[in-house]
Amino acid sequence: MKFCSQCGNPVIQRIPEGDSRPRYVCEHCHTIHYQNPNIVAGCLPLWDDKVLLCRRAIEPRLGFWTLPAGFMENGETIEQAARRETDEEACATLGDLHLYMLVDVPHINQVHVFYRAQMASPTFAAGIESLEVALFDEADIPWSELAFMTVRRTLECFFADRRQQIYPVRTDALPPSRPIQDT
């Protein structure tokens, strides 16, 4: 950040009085600019014993598979964002959503939140951000072609939980150096 969004003057980075972290501060109008993590909201859409995945039509990770998810917008709840992203990317309608997975990704200032949800019908199609959309059995998940470690972790947990038929709300945190690996 170089300039104040309130008055347009240059900002400096310093620890404001009463704070403990460096912030961008405008010395002209005294506005403190807080930078906070972005929330990624998504779904684990299910039809029968299959999971709906989308092949990304955009960067990052163009051509790789993911759960439908994206950045939460101002003015919406996390659940609304997860439903919107599922509609935009997979043209799928969901039944009730159940909070399932929260993954902290501190090295990129993000928090990923995934809901588990039954699809209202087996109807789906590739949205504008997807090259294709498909239902996968556990044995057919394209593990080596998953776009993000948060998606991989969510799927690993889901299949383990499904064997037990118990779906707790899970939390995890990813370190910066954790690469995607084949199972």
Side-chain angles (χ1 to χ4, degrees):
M1 178 173 220
K2 293 183 180 186
F3 300 100
C4 178
S5 60
Q6 297 296 312
C7 71
N9 282 290
V11 295
I12 62 164
Q13 197 171 44
R14 67 175 172 83
I15 299 173
E17 187 177 324
D19 204 336
S20 62
R21 295 176 181 262
R23 311 285 184 188
Y24 288 106
V25 179
C26 178
E27 292 194 303
H28 179 74
C29 73
H30 308 290
T31 299
I32 300 170
H33 298 276
Y34 295 93
Q35 295 179 307
N36 302 106
N38 290 308
I39 298 172
V40 172
C43 276
L44 178 71
L46 306 166
W47 183 256
D48 293 332
D49 286 336
K50 297 182 179 186
V51 173
L52 187 69
L53 296 178
C54 305
R55 187 183 294 266
R56 291 179 59 82
I58 59 172
E59 291 290 355
R61 309 289 288 162
L62 174 81
F64 285 82
W65 291 94
T66 188
L67 293 168
F71 291 109
M72 185 175 168
E73 298 287 350
N74 290 335
E76 67 183 357
T77 66
I78 297 176
E79 183 175 324
Q80 288 168 335
R83 285 183 185 281
R84 176 183 51 75
E85 289 291 341
T86 302
D87 182 55
E88 288 176 359
E89 296 179 10
C91 304
T93 303
L94 303 169
D96 292 338
L97 271 62
H98 304 278
L99 183 59
Y100 182 62
M101 187 84 171
L102 186 145
V103 186
D104 292 307
V105 195
H107 63 280
I108 57 172
N109 304 315
Q110 293 179 0
V111 177
H112 293 213
V113 179
F114 291 98
Y115 287 87
R116 189 173 47 84
Q118 291 295 320
M119 294 168 52
S121 73
T123 304
F124 58 87
I128 194 163
E129 294 181 2
S130 299
L131 296 170
E132 64 180 303
V133 182
L135 288 168
F136 289 90
D137 286 312
E138 180 178 2
D140 299 324
I141 296 290
W143 295 104
S144 65
E145 297 176 50
L146 293 178
F148 306 108
M149 193 63 213
T150 55
V151 170
R152 180 186 188 87
R153 187 71 188 120
T154 300
L155 289 169
E156 289 170 346
C157 289
F158 170 73
F159 291 123
D161 291 342
R162 187 169 74 176
R163 285 187 274 288
Q164 303 298 318
Q165 288 296 300
I166 297 172
Y167 301 98
V169 175
R170 293 182 164 275
T171 61
D172 203 349
L174 298 184
S177 61
R178 189 170 175 187
I180 294 178
Q181 299 173 351
D182 291 336
T183 47

mmCIF file of all heavy atoms in Angstrom, residues 161-179:
data_model
loop_
_atom_site.group_PDB
_atom_site.id
_atom_site.type_symbol
_atom_site.label_atom_id
_atom_site.label_comp_id
_atom_site.label_asym_id
_atom_site.label_seq_id
_atom_site.Cartn_x
_atom_site.Cartn_y
_atom_site.Cartn_z
ATOM 1 N N ASP A 161 -14.281 -39.632 7.096
ATOM 2 C CA ASP A 161 -15.486 -39.474 7.918
ATOM 3 C C ASP A 161 -16.649 -40.288 7.365
ATOM 4 O O ASP A 161 -17.449 -40.822 8.131
ATOM 5 C CB ASP A 161 -15.888 -37.993 8.008
ATOM 6 C CG ASP A 161 -14.903 -37.180 8.827
ATOM 7 O OD1 ASP A 161 -14.119 -37.769 9.593
ATOM 8 O OD2 ASP A 161 -14.916 -35.941 8.685
ATOM 9 N N ARG A 162 -16.743 -40.371 6.069
ATOM 10 C CA ARG A 162 -17.846 -41.129 5.456
ATOM 11 C C ARG A 162 -17.771 -42.604 5.836
ATOM 12 O O ARG A 162 -18.803 -43.241 6.048
ATOM 13 C CB ARG A 162 -17.843 -40.951 3.936
ATOM 14 C CG ARG A 162 -19.072 -41.579 3.284
ATOM 15 C CD ARG A 162 -19.218 -41.197 1.856
ATOM 16 N NE ARG A 162 -18.241 -41.893 1.037
ATOM 17 C CZ ARG A 162 -18.200 -41.783 -0.282
ATOM 18 N NH1 ARG A 162 -19.044 -41.006 -0.927
ATOM 19 N NH2 ARG A 162 -17.291 -42.435 -0.968
ATOM 20 N N ARG A 163 -16.578 -43.134 5.948
ATOM 21 C CA ARG A 163 -16.442 -44.543 6.358
ATOM 22 C C ARG A 163 -17.017 -44.750 7.763
ATOM 23 O O ARG A 163 -17.539 -45.809 8.066
ATOM 24 C CB ARG A 163 -14.979 -44.986 6.282
ATOM 25 C CG ARG A 163 -14.522 -45.220 4.849
ATOM 26 C CD ARG A 163 -13.141 -45.824 4.767
ATOM 27 N NE ARG A 163 -12.050 -44.877 4.800
ATOM 28 C CZ ARG A 163 -11.721 -44.052 3.804
ATOM 29 N NH1 ARG A 163 -12.419 -44.042 2.677
ATOM 30 N NH2 ARG A 163 -10.698 -43.241 3.922
ATOM 31 N N GLN A 164 -16.910 -43.754 8.619
ATOM 32 C CA GLN A 164 -17.438 -43.822 9.986
ATOM 33 C C GLN A 164 -18.876 -43.307 10.087
ATOM 34 O O GLN A 164 -19.516 -43.486 11.129
ATOM 35 C CB GLN A 164 -16.550 -42.983 10.920
ATOM 36 C CG GLN A 164 -15.098 -43.390 10.932
ATOM 37 C CD GLN A 164 -14.895 -44.804 11.423
ATOM 38 O OE1 GLN A 164 -15.508 -45.236 12.381
ATOM 39 N NE2 GLN A 164 -14.028 -45.548 10.743
ATOM 40 N N GLN A 165 -19.343 -42.634 9.034
ATOM 41 C CA GLN A 165 -20.670 -41.994 9.026
ATOM 42 C C GLN A 165 -20.808 -40.954 10.155
ATOM 43 O O GLN A 165 -21.887 -40.777 10.716
ATOM 44 C CB GLN A 165 -21.792 -43.036 9.103
ATOM 45 C CG GLN A 165 -21.956 -43.834 7.821
ATOM 46 C CD GLN A 165 -22.380 -42.966 6.643
ATOM 47 O OE1 GLN A 165 -23.428 -42.342 6.682
ATOM 48 N NE2 GLN A 165 -21.548 -42.905 5.618
ATOM 49 N N ILE A 166 -19.709 -40.282 10.445
ATOM 50 C CA ILE A 166 -19.694 -39.189 11.426
ATOM 51 C C ILE A 166 -18.988 -38.013 10.764
ATOM 52 O O ILE A 166 -17.879 -38.156 10.253
ATOM 53 C CB ILE A 166 -18.945 -39.608 12.716
ATOM 54 C CG1 ILE A 166 -19.669 -40.774 13.388
ATOM 55 C CG2 ILE A 166 -18.812 -38.418 13.670
ATOM 56 C CD1 ILE A 166 -18.904 -41.371 14.554
ATOM 57 N N TYR A 167 -19.654 -36.849 10.759
ATOM 58 C CA TYR A 167 -19.122 -35.681 10.073
ATOM 59 C C TYR A 167 -18.945 -34.515 11.042
ATOM 60 O O TYR A 167 -19.781 -33.620 11.112
ATOM 61 C CB TYR A 167 -20.053 -35.279 8.926
ATOM 62 C CG TYR A 167 -20.239 -36.387 7.922
ATOM 63 C CD1 TYR A 167 -21.351 -37.217 7.980
ATOM 64 C CD2 TYR A 167 -19.296 -36.614 6.931
ATOM 65 C CE1 TYR A 167 -21.520 -38.251 7.061
ATOM 66 C CE2 TYR A 167 -19.463 -37.635 6.012
ATOM 67 C CZ TYR A 167 -20.570 -38.445 6.085
ATOM 68 O OH TYR A 167 -20.734 -39.461 5.178
ATOM 69 N N PRO A 168 -17.856 -34.509 11.795
ATOM 70 C CA PRO A 168 -17.630 -33.397 12.720
ATOM 71 C C PRO A 168 -17.250 -32.135 11.943
ATOM 72 O O PRO A 168 -16.866 -32.205 10.779
ATOM 73 C CB PRO A 168 -16.443 -33.887 13.555
ATOM 74 C CG PRO A 168 -15.684 -34.773 12.618
ATOM 75 C CD PRO A 168 -16.748 -35.467 11.785
ATOM 76 N N VAL A 169 -17.356 -31.004 12.591
ATOM 77 C CA VAL A 169 -16.788 -29.786 12.008
ATOM 78 C C VAL A 169 -15.292 -29.870 12.257
ATOM 79 O O VAL A 169 -14.849 -30.041 13.388
ATOM 80 C CB VAL A 169 -17.385 -28.516 12.647
ATOM 81 C CG1 VAL A 169 -16.691 -27.275 12.110
ATOM 82 C CG2 VAL A 169 -18.885 -28.452 12.395
ATOM 83 N N ARG A 170 -14.520 -29.801 11.193
ATOM 84 C CA ARG A 170 -13.075 -29.984 11.287
ATOM 85 C C ARG A 170 -12.347 -28.659 11.110
ATOM 86 O O ARG A 170 -12.828 -27.784 10.401
ATOM 87 C CB ARG A 170 -12.597 -30.955 10.211
ATOM 88 C CG ARG A 170 -13.104 -32.369 10.428
ATOM 89 C CD ARG A 170 -12.532 -33.276 9.347
ATOM 90 N NE ARG A 170 -12.661 -34.668 9.690
ATOM 91 C CZ ARG A 170 -11.793 -35.348 10.436
ATOM 92 N NH1 ARG A 170 -10.732 -34.758 10.926
ATOM 93 N NH2 ARG A 170 -11.984 -36.620 10.680
ATOM 94 N N THR A 171 -11.179 -28.565 11.725
ATOM 95 C CA THR A 171 -10.301 -27.421 11.511
ATOM 96 C C THR A 171 -8.907 -27.937 11.196
ATOM 97 O O THR A 171 -8.514 -29.023 11.632
ATOM 98 C CB THR A 171 -10.240 -26.495 12.744
ATOM 99 O OG1 THR A 171 -9.724 -27.233 13.846
ATOM 100 C CG2 THR A 171 -11.615 -25.942 13.085
ATOM 101 N N ASP A 172 -8.191 -27.146 10.413
ATOM 102 C CA ASP A 172 -6.839 -27.514 10.029
ATOM 103 C C ASP A 172 -6.101 -26.220 9.706
ATOM 104 O O ASP A 172 -6.727 -25.181 9.502
ATOM 105 C CB ASP A 172 -6.867 -28.439 8.807
ATOM 106 C CG ASP A 172 -5.626 -29.304 8.668
ATOM 107 O OD1 ASP A 172 -4.630 -29.072 9.383
ATOM 108 O OD2 ASP A 172 -5.641 -30.220 7.818
ATOM 109 N N ALA A 173 -4.796 -26.294 9.650
ATOM 110 C CA ALA A 173 -3.970 -25.167 9.227
ATOM 111 C C ALA A 173 -2.887 -25.714 8.314
ATOM 112 O O ALA A 173 -2.288 -26.753 8.605
ATOM 113 C CB ALA A 173 -3.350 -24.468 10.432
ATOM 114 N N LEU A 174 -2.666 -25.023 7.211
ATOM 115 C CA LEU A 174 -1.669 -25.485 6.254
ATOM 116 C C LEU A 174 -0.394 -24.663 6.353
ATOM 117 O O LEU A 174 -0.453 -23.438 6.321
ATOM 118 C CB LEU A 174 -2.216 -25.387 4.826
ATOM 119 C CG LEU A 174 -3.442 -26.226 4.507
ATOM 120 C CD1 LEU A 174 -3.800 -26.085 3.045
ATOM 121 C CD2 LEU A 174 -3.213 -27.689 4.846
ATOM 122 N N PRO A 175 0.749 -25.332 6.448
ATOM 123 C CA PRO A 175 2.019 -24.604 6.418
ATOM 124 C C PRO A 175 2.341 -24.175 4.988
ATOM 125 O O PRO A 175 1.809 -24.743 4.029
ATOM 126 C CB PRO A 175 3.020 -25.639 6.929
ATOM 127 C CG PRO A 175 2.420 -26.956 6.580
ATOM 128 C CD PRO A 175 0.928 -26.765 6.636
ATOM 129 N N PRO A 176 3.217 -23.193 4.811
ATOM 130 C CA PRO A 176 3.494 -22.683 3.472
ATOM 131 C C PRO A 176 4.184 -23.666 2.545
ATOM 132 O O PRO A 176 4.037 -23.590 1.341
ATOM 133 C CB PRO A 176 4.389 -21.471 3.718
ATOM 134 C CG PRO A 176 4.893 -21.603 5.097
ATOM 135 C CD PRO A 176 3.909 -22.447 5.837
ATOM 136 N N SER A 177 4.889 -24.653 3.066
ATOM 137 C CA SER A 177 5.685 -25.525 2.213
ATOM 138 C C SER A 177 5.039 -26.873 1.942
ATOM 139 O O SER A 177 5.690 -27.770 1.443
ATOM 140 C CB SER A 177 7.062 -25.744 2.835
ATOM 141 O OG SER A 177 6.919 -26.362 4.096
ATOM 142 N N ARG A 178 3.763 -27.013 2.225
ATOM 143 C CA ARG A 178 3.121 -28.321 2.063
ATOM 144 C C ARG A 178 2.671 -28.511 0.612
ATOM 145 O O ARG A 178 1.653 -27.974 0.187
ATOM 146 C CB ARG A 178 1.930 -28.432 2.999
ATOM 147 C CG ARG A 178 1.344 -29.816 3.062
ATOM 148 C CD ARG A 178 0.320 -29.910 4.178
ATOM 149 N NE ARG A 178 -0.304 -31.201 4.155
ATOM 150 C CZ ARG A 178 -1.318 -31.534 4.912
ATOM 151 N NH1 ARG A 178 -1.830 -30.663 5.764
ATOM 152 N NH2 ARG A 178 -1.844 -32.719 4.864
ATOM 153 N N PRO A 179 3.429 -29.276 -0.182
ATOM 154 C CA PRO A 179 3.055 -29.465 -1.589
ATOM 155 C C PRO A 179 1.932 -30.481 -1.747
ATOM 156 O O PRO A 179 1.690 -31.302 -0.863
ATOM 157 C CB PRO A 179 4.338 -29.989 -2.229
ATOM 158 C CG PRO A 179 5.012 -30.727 -1.109
ATOM 159 C CD PRO A 179 4.662 -29.967 0.157
#
